Amino acid sequence: MSNEKPSMAWLIIRSILFGLLGLVVTPMLTAILVLGLAYTFDSRCGTPGDSGGCEMGAFSVALAMALPGFAIGFFASLIPGLRRRNRAGIGG
C-alpha cells in the first residue's frame, strides 16, 4: 500500500460515482428481493385477480430505496477514504 496523498477532490468524485452505483444497484436488488418474497409467501401474486399489485408494490419499494442506495454507496466509499487520508497524516 502506497503512502501517496489522495486528493480530496478525487475522494469526493469517487464517492459520488459509488453513490450513483448504489442509486442504480440497490433498487434493482430490492425489487428482485421483494418480488421473490412476494411470490413465495403470497399465493395471490401472479394470479389474474391480482392486477399487478405485487409488481407495483415491488416498484414502490425499489423507488423508495433509490436515495438510501445513493447514501450507502457514497458513505461506503467516503468513510474509508477519509480514514486512509488520516492514517497517511494528511491534514485539511
Side-chain angles (χ1 to χ4, degrees):
M1 192 157 122
S2 68
N3 274 343
E4 288 186 25
K5 299 178 183 181
S7 71
M8 194 64 178
W10 170 245
L11 184 61
I12 296 296
I13 290 170
R14 187 171 142 232
S15 297
I16 290 172
L17 291 175
F18 272 93
L20 291 174
L21 182 67
L23 181 78
V24 172
V25 171
T26 304
M28 288 189 325
L29 293 177
T30 303
I32 291 169
L33 179 68
V34 168
L35 277 176
L37 291 173
Y39 276 96
T40 301
F41 294 113
D42 190 357
S43 61
R44 294 175 297 164
C45 287
T47 61
D50 180 40
S51 299
C54 293
E55 291 81 5
M56 285 307 297
F59 174 74
S60 298
V61 171
L63 189 63
M65 284 302 295
L67 287 180
F70 178 84
I72 290 168
F74 182 82
F75 288 113
S77 175
L78 181 67
I79 291 171
L82 289 174
R83 286 185 177 166
R84 270 193 303 276
R85 278 180 60 87
N86 288 339
R87 248 187 282 132
I90 302 166

